[in-house]
Amino acid sequence: MAGEDAGGGGATVTVIRKLLLACCFVSSLASAATPYVLDDTEVRDVHANTLNRDYQVFVALPDSYRSSSRHYPVVFVVDANYAFPVARGIAQRLAKHAGLEEAIVVGLSYAKGDSPVYSRRRDYTPSMPRGQYVSDMPGRSAAFGEAQAYGRFIAADVFPLIAANYRADMSRKIFVGHSYGSLLGLQVLLSEPATFDHYILGSPSLWFDQGVMFDREQAYAKGHKDMPASVFFGIGGRETLPANRKRSRTEENADMVADLCDFDAALKTHRYPNLKSRLEVFADEDHASVFPLVLTHGLRAYLKKVK
């Protein structure tokens, strides 16, 4: 009998242990971390045919999209790793709390297999800069100057993808860029301005390649009598040069506020009949902090109030 009691007790202990392990497993499942997914968002792969590179587009749909049949203006934002969730959140809040139109937000990713620095240097800049740059990707030389080709990729590959899969009003396309991303926007503006209806350009790096975009602005003016576009420029009031340093169009000694004021003034001197240009300097903001304000005011300058 004693042996039977001992055997039964051993079986009982084994069952208890299994129950405890099962409880621990269930508890670990309940507390396991999972990714946070933004509501009403989608990710699509897109191949850049002429560039022979692969990218992704991140798409955020308006709250009313599933319950309506209307078409929406589209906000295209570069540097999507950072800017897409910011743009999605601001666009939604402006629609909910400021009475502005809803919009589809499309984020343009960096190239697959590239670091963000490598991808944006190559895809967003208008030229190969004078001077030495070190690549952040071992075994690959630094690459620059493909903004024009990347702009064509947006028009040739991204636009048709969005038009085919979403109720997008492709006559109302908004470009959003910041820093190097604004250089890309300026490259599109100064080559094919009608690609987008509205440009929101924050803190453009006009110092790049010793101010090459100033030369391109003058070249555009010599060959064109109009610039059919709406442009909102924004920059932080702290993006200036200390008084003890001599201004130049280099990254180290650039007065970005002064550069942008000069560029906006140059555009306005040509009196293009169909260009609307506005510049806002946001006090107490710097290069890192100003983007949400630029985007908010830039959308307000274009999206309509819903009655």
Side-chain angles (χ1 to χ4, degrees):
M1 294 295 292
E4 289 179 5
D5 288 340
T12 301
V13 170
T14 300
V15 171
I16 291 172
R17 285 176 176 169
K18 287 182 178 180
L19 287 173
L20 288 171
L21 288 172
C23 289
C24 290
F25 179 71
V26 171
S27 176
S28 66
L29 285 179
S31 63
T34 58
Y36 177 77
V37 179
L38 297 173
D39 294 337
D40 295 320
T41 59
E42 301 174 356
V43 179
R44 293 179 180 268
D45 294 324
V46 57
H47 181 69
N49 292 307
T50 58
L51 301 176
N52 196 28
R53 291 194 287 270
D54 293 308
Y55 296 86
Q56 290 182 315
V57 293
F58 312 149
V59 182
L61 300 174
D63 289 342
S64 67
Y65 189 88
R66 309 293 183 190
S67 59
S68 78
S69 59
R70 68 178 182 271
H71 288 66
Y72 297 83
V74 191
V75 178
F76 292 87
V77 57
V78 296
D79 283 314
N81 295 34
Y82 158 71
F84 173 72
V86 176
R88 170 191 174 272
I90 289 175
Q92 284 186 342
R93 288 189 65 81
L94 289 176
K96 286 181 179 178
H97 303 296
L100 297 185
E101 297 173 276
E102 292 179 292
I104 296 170
V105 178
V106 176
L108 303 174
S109 81
Y110 303 122
K112 290 185 176 181
D114 290 347
S115 72
V117 170
Y118 193 93
S119 185
R120 72 194 304 267
R121 277 180 168 182
R122 178 195 58 219
D123 293 342
Y124 298 172
T125 60
S127 59
M128 186 68 191
R130 288 151 278 190
Q132 297 297 318
Y133 283 82
V134 177
S135 172
D136 74 319
M137 296 192 71
R140 298 176 67 180
S141 300
F144 291 88
E146 296 189 20
Q148 186 166 354
Y150 186 83
R152 288 195 294 264
F153 151 66
I154 296 174
D157 297 320
V158 177
F159 287 175
L161 176 70
I162 299 303
N165 291 282
Y166 303 98
R167 295 195 312 277
D169 183 351
M170 299 302 285
S171 68
R172 301 186 65 207
K173 301 184 295 293
I174 303 165
F175 177 92
V176 179
H178 183 257
S179 196
Y180 272 12
S182 286
L183 284 184
L184 170 63
L186 286 175
Q187 175 62 42
V188 176
L189 179 69
L190 295 174
S191 53
E192 297 291 340
T195 303
F196 295 92
D197 189 53
H198 185 57
Y199 294 79
I200 301 173
L201 304 177
S203 305
S205 303
L206 288 165
W207 51 263
F208 181 81
D209 195 12
Q210 300 179 25
V212 66
M213 294 313 295
F214 287 91
D215 298 333
R216 298 198 177 181
E217 187 278 325
Q218 289 299 310
Y220 180 92
K222 289 180 180 179
H224 299 82
K225 298 298 183 183
D226 199 6
M227 183 180 283
S230 167
V231 184
F232 181 90
F233 290 119
I235 194 165
R238 294 184 178 181
E239 298 187 69
T240 57
L241 189 67
N244 61 346
R245 292 169 64 179
K246 184 178 180 181
R247 179 188 174 195
S248 68
R249 290 206 170 113
T250 63
E251 185 173 5
E252 297 80 13
N253 293 305
D255 187 322
M256 294 184 66
V257 174
D259 283 349
L260 185 53
C261 290
D262 288 349
F263 193 89
D264 183 55
L267 284 178
K268 289 175 177 174
T269 61
H270 307 302
R271 301 184 182 277
Y272 296 122
N274 290 297
L275 173 65
K276 298 177 181 178
S277 173
R278 178 178 162 191
L279 169 61
E280 292 284 347
V281 179
F282 296 95
D284 297 325
E285 302 298 336
D286 59 26
H287 197 72
S289 67
V290 76
F291 175 71
L293 285 168
V294 174
L295 178 59
T296 299
H297 287 257
L299 289 176
R300 280 179 169 167
Y302 177 77
L303 295 177
K304 299 174 183 176
K305 280 274 189 177
V306 178
K307 296 180 180 180

